[in-house]
Amino acid sequence: MLESSKEVLEAEQRFLTGENFYVQHFLGVHKNENGYVFRVWAPHAQQVYLVGDFNDWDESLPMEKREKSGVWELATSLAEEGQLYKFLVQQANGRKIMKIDPFAVRFEERPGTAAVIYTIPEKKWHDNLWRGRQKKTQTLKRPMNIYEVHASSWKHDESGQPYTFKELEEELIPYVKEMDYTHIEFLPLMEHPLGASWGYQLTGFFALSSYYGTPVEFRDFVDSCHKNNIGVFVDWVPAHFCVNEDTLPYYDGTPTFEYEDPNRAHNIRWGTICFDLGKPQVQSFLISSALFWLDVYHLDGMRVDAVTSMLYLDYDEGPWQPNHEGGNRNFEGFYFLQKLNAVIKLAFPQTVMMAEESSSETQITGMIESGALGFDYKWNMGWMNDVLRFYEMDPVFRKDNFHLLTFSFMYMMNEHYILPFSHDEVVHGKKSLMHKMWGDRYKQFAQLRNMYTFMMTHPGKKILFMGSEWGQFLEWKYNEGLEWVDLEDELNNKMQHFTAKLNSLYKDERSLWELEDTAETVELIDADNTAESVLTFIRKSKTKRDFLIIALNLTPVERQDFAIGVPYPGSYQEVLNTEKIEFGGTWTKNNSRCQSIDQPFKQFNQQIQTVLPALGALIIKPEEIQMK
């Protein structure tokens, strides 16, 4: 709440220049000593009325315009906490239309769209220890294994209703802890009118969707996550917004939040409206939204959705105009994203900023001063597409397509990557991860274990969509709970156990994340064995004795006496065999300890020999080695 007219004037000026990053304290609804003050930005409106439960939704409360900024305001003693309200906007052409408050922090439940007069109460947080630890070390130097969740379809109660955050606190947090994930990432939690959009077509950029519970419940959830050493990320969508007429589009009858050019304003592919990312007021709006979520809810980071669409003028399906240099770069989007990351890192240096971005023409991660966008991580969509294509393939053809697995080692240091098996890959007829795998059901589980092992041992942070941890066969349905009944099946149950075991190994083995930002983190042993379709490589830590050898057999043929080059003489022991019976395979015990022999293998002077299970993966660790 702004206390004085001077503060209001300063907030107004910063809003106009794109430098008010807490603009929700100026716009929206705020309690004062005589009631509430309402403000809304509609610069070209002829008139704006405040309407709501307090005046029977009539035109008895006209607002006054602040000419400098085009902000309309009204102070009233009639309004009370919990009442519904909207703004009746007489647009530039004289048409009157009900509009939502873009800065509301609470909305009524669907299908209603009115804002609620709501003051988020103060909270005493209990996560100082967690937040202190995050400030001490960079995320690049820590394990990050993310469980991606759609809040309203993780689990439903007996009546078929989705869990609220109060219920998720009781069940999701213990589950994530038991499965040994380090973070939870939610699909967008902001207010949206249509569940089928999964939250990616927003209307309330400052409001937790009432469908998921209350702000109090969500803050308690985050607090509880932190007390259990679990980080919380949320997807956020600054590229575009919902097309519904009573929300943000053409708010005052003219392009307000969107681009002037209708070809740039309308996203044909998604049926949405694109923000004018070069407009100062829009920059204040969006950056304030991001900081609001980080500040009020103590989030550990955000995944920025649809970054590619903000970077390139020709991304959509409609006509487009080149920029002033004759190219396809969207300079407004590029500089907005740099500004967003700079402001967030200044306010909350420990925040993890992630980009969902699918091109290779722009440096996404790294220092802004070097020309990058300033994100901490980029989703590696190329790795994901190549890997899924490979594992869907009949093994007969894998020897001719081995580059799909090995190519990523050529560019793995170009960005700081997250390896995603996300919600986008298990819907719209793409099949679940389990269903994508080649072969019969037994082979599908074997390959799923193999693929997860590759993900967990390949450089990059990890993300896996809910239900994939036990190999749910059906595609994800946004309006139903996961198929928890699957866990009554022995193979699904063992698959879940395997994922938990793999997650635990990832957290415990420093070689899988300690040097991840350097090329020294990985050394290929043999990436050319296309004939047998076996990939072997080493992951390293700062301590030379501490490394892991990974062997992936990508065919349904067991490899006896298989040679693997090793850097030092000594003994080596399996720490993971994906074909163990406890994981759903047939092996009752691990391979015996291997003793190296003095026989060259590529760049190595020593080698070990072991048995590679059909469609299996091994992780091998040095036990007693001799180092010069």
Side-chain angles (χ1 to χ4, degrees):
M1 174 63 191
L2 304 176
E3 298 295 336
S4 67
S5 58
K6 181 182 178 182
E7 289 177 324
V8 171
L9 287 170
E10 290 176 350
E12 181 180 38
Q13 179 60 32
R14 291 197 304 272
F15 171 59
L16 290 173
T17 58
E19 299 298 322
N20 189 334
F21 306 133
Y22 293 90
V23 73
Q24 71 274 12
H25 298 315
F26 170 52
L27 295 165
V29 56
H30 305 284
K31 191 172 182 61
N32 63 15
E33 57 186 13
N34 297 317
Y36 290 88
V37 59
F38 295 79
R39 294 192 187 96
V40 64
W41 180 51
H44 297 102
Q46 294 182 11
Q47 180 63 56
V48 180
Y49 302 89
L50 174 64
V51 298
D53 291 340
F54 38 78
N55 68 341
D56 294 326
W57 300 85
D58 62 23
E59 300 178 16
S60 61
L61 292 174
M63 304 177 75
E64 294 185 6
K65 185 178 183 180
R66 301 175 65 91
E67 291 297 337
K68 182 178 180 181
S69 60
V71 169
W72 297 77
E73 65 181 358
L74 175 71
T76 177
S77 60
L78 298 177
E80 297 178 359
E81 191 84 359
Q83 290 182 318
L84 303 181
Y85 73 98
K86 282 190 176 184
F87 297 114
L88 176 60
V89 180
Q90 187 173 356
Q91 295 182 318
N93 62 1
R95 178 187 180 218
K96 291 182 179 179
I97 182 171
M98 291 281 196
K99 288 282 191 177
I100 67 165
D101 179 1
F103 294 87
V105 297
R106 190 80 176 141
F107 285 88
E108 64 177 323
E109 293 187 11
R110 304 173 193 159
T113 59
V116 180
I117 299 173
Y118 183 86
T119 303
I120 298 177
E122 293 293 324
K123 174 177 173 59
K124 182 178 180 180
W125 289 86
H126 304 89
D127 62 351
N128 287 341
L129 186 60
W130 165 266
R131 285 161 72 86
R133 283 200 302 266
Q134 305 316 298
K135 292 178 182 179
K136 288 181 180 179
T137 56
Q138 296 178 326
T139 59
L140 286 170
K141 307 296 184 183
R142 297 198 301 264
M144 184 185 293
N145 184 15
I146 306 166
Y147 187 57
E148 189 186 29
V149 175
H150 179 249
S152 60
S153 61
W154 184 71
K155 187 176 283 190
H156 285 191
D157 62 24
E158 294 179 355
S159 66
Q161 292 300 307
Y163 277 17
T164 66
F165 269 105
K166 184 174 179 60
E167 293 165 312
L168 290 173
E169 181 181 354
E170 296 171 356
E171 290 199 31
L172 176 59
I173 293 174
Y175 180 77
V176 168
K177 190 172 183 179
E178 180 184 359
M179 291 297 296
D180 236 343
Y181 287 100
T182 64
H183 293 75
I184 300 170
E185 181 178 323
F186 287 106
L187 276 61
L189 301 176
M190 300 79 183
E191 192 61 69
H192 54 282
L194 183 65
S197 78
W198 315 335
Y200 290 99
Q201 296 188 14
L202 302 181
T203 55
F205 282 75
F206 294 82
L208 177 77
S209 175
S210 57
Y211 194 63
Y212 298 141
T214 69
V216 170
E217 290 173 339
F218 182 50
R219 291 205 296 182
D220 287 345
F221 175 89
V222 175
D223 204 12
S224 185
C225 280
H226 289 171
K227 287 187 287 185
N228 283 277
N229 295 316
I230 298 168
V232 183
F233 301 143
V234 168
D235 286 8
W236 180 65
V237 192
H240 57 114
F241 52 90
C242 179
V243 74
N244 288 10
E245 193 177 39
D246 65 335
T247 62
L248 299 187
Y250 299 93
Y251 199 88
D252 62 9
T254 69
T256 309
F257 290 92
E258 56 276 274
Y259 288 106
E260 293 274 351
D261 180 352
N263 289 328
R264 297 187 68 184
H266 291 267
N267 189 308
I268 297 172
R269 180 179 300 184
W270 297 326
T272 55
I273 307 291
C274 298
F275 281 108
D276 182 348
L277 299 174
K279 187 177 289 187
Q281 298 92 329
V282 172
Q283 293 179 0
S284 287
F285 172 77
L286 289 173
I287 295 176
S288 293
S289 168
L291 288 176
F292 170 84
W293 285 88
L294 296 171
D295 183 21
V296 172
Y297 294 106
H298 281 206
L299 297 180
D300 299 285
M302 306 184 103
R303 191 205 74 151
V304 180
D305 183 64
V307 168
T308 311
S309 71
M310 292 186 275
L311 291 176
Y312 305 105
L313 297 169
D314 59 349
Y315 178 80
D316 198 19
E317 299 171 353
W320 64 282
Q321 292 293 323
N323 60 35
H324 65 276
E325 295 182 352
N328 68 342
R329 165 77 73 210
N330 180 352
F331 287 111
E332 295 99 325
F334 181 90
Y335 291 121
F336 165 76
L337 289 166
Q338 285 190 325
K339 181 176 180 178
L340 168 73
N341 284 316
V343 172
I344 285 176
K345 287 299 184 179
L346 186 62
F348 301 104
Q350 73 276 15
T351 297
V352 177
M353 294 297 290
M354 301 166 280
E356 189 253 341
E357 205 282 322
S358 56
S359 75
S360 58
E361 300 171 33
T362 301
Q363 187 69 28
I364 304 301
T365 61
M367 299 292 289
I368 292 171
E369 292 80 0
S370 67
L373 291 182
F375 284 97
D376 295 293
Y377 297 100
K378 171 183 175 176
W379 275 26
N380 194 338
M381 312 297 282
W383 177 90
M384 177 269 296
N385 285 317
D386 286 348
V387 168
L388 290 179
R389 183 181 164 198
F390 184 88
Y391 279 88
E392 289 179 79
M393 189 180 295
D394 188 312
V396 170
F397 304 108
R398 290 179 179 175
K399 64 181 182 297
D400 299 318
N401 292 276
F402 212 57
H403 64 280
L404 292 174
L405 277 198
T406 59
F407 177 58
S408 57
F409 290 106
M410 303 294 291
Y411 66 83
M412 65 184 182
M413 290 297 130
N414 289 0
E415 303 267 14
H416 297 311
Y417 288 113
I418 290 178
L419 309 179
F421 289 136
S422 75
H423 63 278
D424 276 325
E425 307 316 310
V426 295
V427 289
H428 298 325
K430 293 182 181 180
K431 303 179 183 178
S432 67
L433 295 184
M434 169 66 177
H435 197 180
K436 291 177 196 289
M437 300 296 102
W438 168 85
D440 59 29
R441 191 164 186 260
Y442 178 87
K443 293 185 178 71
Q444 286 178 322
F445 274 110
Q447 289 173 106
L448 199 63
R449 295 191 297 270
N450 191 306
M451 186 175 75
Y452 288 177
T453 304
F454 183 51
M455 174 180 72
M456 207 61 71
T457 56
H458 189 288
K461 306 306 184 186
K462 331 294 176 184
I463 187 167
L464 185 67
F465 187 60
M466 62 183 196
S468 303
E469 70 270 23
W470 71 72
Q472 177 171 304
F473 187 80
L474 297 178
E475 283 192 346
W476 167 56
K477 300 180 181 67
Y478 75 91
N479 57 348
E480 298 181 14
L482 295 177
E483 299 287 329
W484 292 95
V485 67
D486 286 351
L487 294 175
E488 297 175 8
D489 180 274
E490 182 181 14
L491 285 177
N492 287 115
N493 194 279
K494 288 183 174 182
M495 182 70 214
Q496 184 191 47
H497 168 63
F498 169 79
T499 303
K501 198 84 169 181
L502 186 63
N503 290 348
S504 178
L505 185 145
Y506 168 70
K507 284 176 69 175
D508 291 342
E509 296 293 343
R510 301 180 73 89
S511 57
L512 295 178
W513 42 265
E514 192 172 47
L515 293 177
E516 199 159 53
D517 57 335
T518 69
E520 290 73 33
T521 189
V522 65
E523 181 178 5
L524 293 174
I525 298 174
D526 191 356
D528 302 315
N529 189 351
T530 58
E532 294 178 298
S533 296
V534 175
L535 173 64
T536 51
F537 58 96
I538 300 174
R539 289 298 307 275
K540 301 178 180 180
S541 71
K542 290 181 180 178
T543 305
K544 288 189 176 182
R545 284 184 177 275
D546 186 17
F547 60 90
L548 295 176
I549 295 169
I550 293 89
L552 305 172
N553 183 3
L554 288 314
T555 66
V557 179
E558 187 175 279
R559 306 292 179 187
Q560 296 281 338
D561 300 323
F562 188 82
I564 301 173
V566 294
Y568 306 108
S571 60
Y572 293 79
Q573 181 67 54
E574 280 182 14
V575 293
L576 185 78
N577 182 330
T578 62
E579 279 303 293
K580 289 282 293 295
I581 196 167
E582 66 173 298
F583 303 138
T586 58
W587 285 44
T588 57
K589 60 182 180 178
N590 286 6
N591 278 299
S592 300
R593 180 187 297 108
C594 300
Q595 188 69 37
S596 67
I597 56 176
D598 291 324
Q599 189 168 333
F601 187 99
K602 293 208 167 186
Q603 74 268 33
F604 302 102
N605 294 322
Q606 299 279 318
Q607 65 173 259
I608 58 173
Q609 294 183 355
T610 189
V611 180
L612 291 188
L615 295 175
L618 302 182
I619 299 179
I620 301 168
K621 192 171 184 177
E623 193 171 57
E624 295 181 10
I625 56 175
Q626 302 166 23
M627 300 179 65
K628 294 181 180 179

